[in-house]
Amino acid sequence: FPLDTSPVPTSPGSPAYIRGARSSPDDFGLDKAELLTTDQQEALAPKLTRPRTCYVYNHMPDVDPETKYRSKINGQLEWRCKYCPKRYALNGGTRCMKSHLQACHDIYHDSPRAEKVKKRQRSIEEAIAYGAESTTKRRRLENTTVIDDNDAPICPQTLEVLYINMLAACNLPTSFVEQEDFRTLIQYLSPYGAYLLPDSHSKVHGWLMNQFEAGKKRAKEILLSSTSMIHLSTDLWTSPNRMAVVGVVAHFVSKDGDLLEMVLAMKKVKGEHTGVNIANYILETIEDYRISSNLGYLQMDNASNNDTMIREISHRTLLVFISTL
C-alpha cells in the first residue's frame, strides 16, 4: 500500500504532531517546541543534577567529586573509599560515609569558618618556622625605645614573613608600608609592630628579595631530595599589560611520599615566541634548579612552536648529560 504523506489537520496536542506520524511541524509553520505539551517538554528536557558538595565525595578514588561509581552486583550508584576497599550505596544520605572516614581514617570536616581559621593558623605556624630558619630577617629598631626580644609581643622574623606573604597574595606595592592609614592601624593593634615595620619601600624590597632567595634555596633542597622524576608543565601567555610571560611548574614526589607541585619560574619572554627562544627560558630554569639529570616528562598545549621547543630541550639536556659522564 502506498504511504499517504499528505498533511493531516490535527490539533497541536494530537499524537500525529508528537510522533510525526504523517506530517512535519514545518508543514504548518509551527515551532517544534509548540508541538509538545508542558509535561512532555519537561520529560524530554535534560535532567540537571545537583552538584555534590559534601566533603565525603572528595575522598573517593577519582579527584573529581562528580565521578559516579556503580555496583557490579546491582548496578546502583555507590560511594567508594579512597583509602580502603569499603563501599556504601548512595541511597540514603552520607552519614555512613562520614562515620567510616572518622572511625577508620581519622578524617573530620569542619565548617567553612573553622577551615579558614585553621588555614590561617597553619600560615602563622609556617611563618614562625620559616622565620626561625634565618637570622638575617631581624630588623633592629630605629626607635629609642628598647624592648627585649624575649618580652616582645611580636616576633620580628614572623612579622616579616607574614607581611611579605600579604603583599604577594594581595598584589600590593612595596610602598604600601608608607601609607599612614595602614601604619595607624598597626599602631593601634600593636605599637611594637609599628616600630618593627620599615618606613620606606626600599627596605620592604630588601625583605622581599631576602625571602625570595631563601625560598628558592629551600625549593632546590626539596627538588634534589625528590624520590621520583621531576616532570614539568609550562605555558606562555600575555598579561593584561601586554607582557609575554612563560611559567614553569614542577610535579614530583617528595621524600615523604607526597605528590607536590611547585612553581619554579615566571619569566618575561623577550623577542619572538619561537620554540628555540622559549626553550632558552625553560632550560635556564632547569639549570638554575639543577634538575636536568632527573628530568621527566614535559607537558604543554599543542602549539606548533612547542614541538620545536621540545626538540631543543631534549637535544641540549642530552648534551649536558653526556658531558657529565
Side-chain angles (χ1 to χ4, degrees):
F1 297 91
L3 294 177
D4 183 9
T5 58
S6 61
V8 180
T10 52
S11 61
S14 67
Y17 277 85
I18 297 172
R19 297 194 301 270
R22 294 193 176 186
S23 61
S24 167
D26 297 332
D27 295 336
F28 298 91
L30 298 177
D31 186 76
K32 294 182 180 179
E34 297 177 1
L35 306 181
L36 301 178
T37 64
T38 303
D39 293 340
Q40 291 167 339
Q41 292 183 33
E42 292 179 354
L44 295 177
K47 298 297 183 181
L48 299 178
T49 58
R50 188 172 58 182
R52 293 173 170 177
T53 57
C54 184
Y55 76 96
V56 299
Y57 296 108
N58 295 325
H59 297 280
M60 297 194 301
D62 196 273
V63 295
D64 184 5
E66 300 298 329
T67 300
K68 293 179 174 58
Y69 299 95
R70 293 188 178 275
S71 172
K72 294 182 179 180
I73 299 176
N74 53 23
Q76 298 297 318
L77 290 176
E78 65 181 10
W79 176 89
R80 298 182 183 181
C81 183
K82 180 180 180 180
Y83 314 101
C84 69
K86 194 68 177 180
R87 304 180 180 188
Y88 291 96
L90 291 175
N91 56 5
T94 57
R95 183 179 59 84
C96 294
M97 297 78 151
K98 293 177 181 178
S99 300
H100 170 74
L101 290 174
Q102 295 174 7
C104 300
H105 305 293
D106 197 26
I107 296 176
Y108 297 84
H109 180 71
D110 296 323
S111 64
R113 181 186 295 270
E115 287 289 338
K116 291 181 180 179
V117 172
K118 293 173 71 173
K119 184 178 180 180
R120 296 191 192 108
Q121 185 61 36
R122 286 195 298 268
S123 298
I124 294 174
E125 293 173 355
E126 291 174 359
I128 293 174
Y130 189 66
E133 293 178 359
S134 175
T135 58
T136 59
K137 290 180 167 37
R138 184 173 299 278
R139 174 178 178 267
R140 296 197 174 275
L141 301 181
E142 299 174 0
N143 190 278
T144 54
T145 304
V146 179
I147 303 179
D148 187 4
D149 288 339
N150 296 326
D151 299 329
I154 295 178
C155 174
Q157 297 95 327
T158 304
L159 175 65
E160 179 177 338
V161 174
L162 291 175
Y163 183 73
I164 295 301
N165 289 346
M166 182 194 72
L167 291 185
C170 300
N171 196 23
L172 296 173
T174 55
S175 59
F176 184 75
V177 74
E178 301 174 2
Q179 298 293 328
E180 285 300 323
D181 290 337
F182 170 71
R183 300 194 69 90
T184 300
L185 174 64
I186 299 301
Q187 179 75 26
Y188 170 73
L189 295 175
S190 173
Y192 185 69
Y195 294 144
L196 286 175
L197 282 175
D199 52 9
S200 68
H201 68 278
S202 59
K203 294 180 181 178
V204 175
H205 183 267
W207 278 13
L208 179 63
M209 296 309 299
N210 289 338
Q211 189 164 330
F212 172 76
E213 294 298 335
K216 190 174 182 179
K217 179 180 178 181
R218 185 179 181 184
K220 290 180 179 180
E221 295 174 353
I222 296 175
L223 287 169
L224 291 175
S225 63
S226 66
T227 58
S228 70
M229 303 290 287
I230 299 173
H231 312 288
L232 301 180
S233 60
T234 178
D235 195 11
L236 185 143
W237 68 99
T238 303
S239 64
N241 60 346
R242 312 300 299 173
M243 179 186 298
V245 179
V246 60
V248 183
V249 180
H251 310 264
F252 60 97
V253 178
S254 68
K255 63 179 180 180
D256 298 324
D258 298 325
L259 179 61
L260 300 182
E261 296 180 354
M262 183 181 297
V263 178
L264 301 185
M266 297 282 290
K267 293 181 175 292
K268 179 181 178 181
V269 178
K270 300 179 181 180
E272 297 182 359
H273 298 174
T274 62
V276 176
N277 189 29
I278 299 174
N280 291 330
Y281 293 95
I282 307 298
L283 287 167
E284 182 180 333
T285 303
I286 294 174
E287 295 169 1
D288 189 14
Y289 285 89
R290 296 176 294 175
I291 58 176
S292 58
S293 61
N294 200 24
L295 190 61
Y297 291 97
L298 276 76
Q299 186 273 333
M300 69 286 296
D301 57 32
N302 59 351
S304 58
N305 55 355
N306 283 332
D307 296 334
T308 307
M309 181 191 70
I310 285 292
R311 287 193 292 267
E312 185 71 12
I313 292 176
S314 300
H315 177 69
R316 291 169 61 176
T317 51
L318 179 61
L319 291 179
V320 172
F321 177 75
I322 294 175
S323 64
T324 57
L325 295 180

